Amino acid sequence: MTKDITKVTPYNSEATKKSQVEDMFDNIAPKYDLLNHVLSMKIDVLWRNKLVRWMKNDNPQEVLDVATGTGDLAITIEKGTGSKVVGLDLSQQMLNVGVIKIKKLKLDGKISMQKGDAENLPFEDNRFDAVSVAFGVRNFENLPKGLAELRRVVKDNKSVYILEFSKVEGFMGPFYMFYFKNILPAIGRLVSKDNRAYTYLPDSVNAFPFGEKMKQILLDTGFKKVEYKKLSLGIATIYKATK
């Protein structure tokens, strides 16, 4: 039986999921980029590029990147679309790393970073031409509330783009799950020194709805049209939900 995603938390403590997620990303922030690219063998770069190519068709002028982390997707969006980007994240330590990267690239005039909660976005209704989230919706404490907030701040007839892990199906599934549940957490623990962060990753992916289930959740949130593309045999999926 699949576990409720809201009950899957990084540290299994009495603290709220939101608080645990913030602590986890604060803890792993210094090693996050290194681990991300090593563990994904840089395939995550290709996935972000695909999302941005899809988004570019909307010709956005201002984009909100939720759960921006260290800013990888925000940077890819700015480079790929030329739009202004607001990056928002719960973890100040992740944002600190992102701000340094953005300054080095001389993009601080185009990308702004701020601390905030995806489930209580500090923006007016219908503000953005596009909203993106990469590997962040799994971490929402209240998934319907978070998705409703993404919908609220995007303009009518514009879209929210969600890049999230899904599950590899077919004959490759068992091999990938072995890597995901055994090898990946071991490397993550070794490099990040956080015993739970990279065990939480496969646990949260396992509990997260994907494909048609995620499409239905987005439609139930009030989006009028939802499309999705599977990436790399289903390791990840991009959802485009239009308001």
Side-chain angles (χ1 to χ4, degrees), residues 107-125:
L107 292 175
D108 37 324
K110 296 282 285 181
I111 302 172
S112 61
M113 302 284 264
Q114 69 182 77
K115 191 177 191 308
D117 178 2
E119 293 165 39
N120 296 284
L121 292 171
F123 307 108
E124 65 272 22
D125 297 358

Side-chain angles (χ1 to χ4, degrees), residues 160-221:
V160 172
Y161 292 83
I162 295 169
L163 170 58
E164 191 50 88
F165 288 113
S166 40
K167 289 181 191 170
V168 177
E169 297 175 300
F171 77 98
M172 284 298 291
F175 298 102
Y176 182 71
M177 279 313 294
F178 179 81
Y179 167 77
F180 209 47
K181 286 189 78 71
N182 297 284
I183 297 168
L184 181 149
I187 298 169
R189 278 194 296 273
L190 192 68
V191 178
S192 73
K193 310 299 183 199
D194 187 308
N195 288 331
R196 263 296 293 171
Y198 288 87
T199 307
Y200 166 73
L201 175 60
D203 288 351
S204 61
V205 170
N206 223 24
F208 194 76
F210 66 97
E212 287 297 309
K213 283 185 182 176
M214 184 60 176
K215 178 179 178 178
Q216 191 56 54
I217 289 168
L218 288 161
L219 289 170
D220 291 344
T221 304

Side-chain angles (χ1 to χ4, degrees), residues 51-64 77-78 80-85 110 128-131 154-155 158-159 161:
L51 185 154
V52 172
R53 281 200 296 274
W54 205 0
M55 181 189 285
K56 193 176 180 182
N57 295 330
D58 295 347
N59 192 28
Q61 302 304 301
E62 187 179 32
V63 178
L64 172 65
I77 289 168
E78 193 286 324
T81 67
S83 60
K84 284 202 163 188
V85 185
K110 296 282 285 181
F128 296 97
D129 301 304
V131 175
V154 77
K155 292 176 181 175
K158 297 296 185 179
S159 302
Y161 292 83

Side-chain angles (χ1 to χ4, degrees), residues 38 65 75 81 85 104 113 148 153 194 204 229:
V38 168
D65 183 40
I75 291 164
T81 67
V85 185
K104 278 184 181 172
M113 302 284 264
V153 299
D194 187 308
S204 61
K229 295 177 179 178

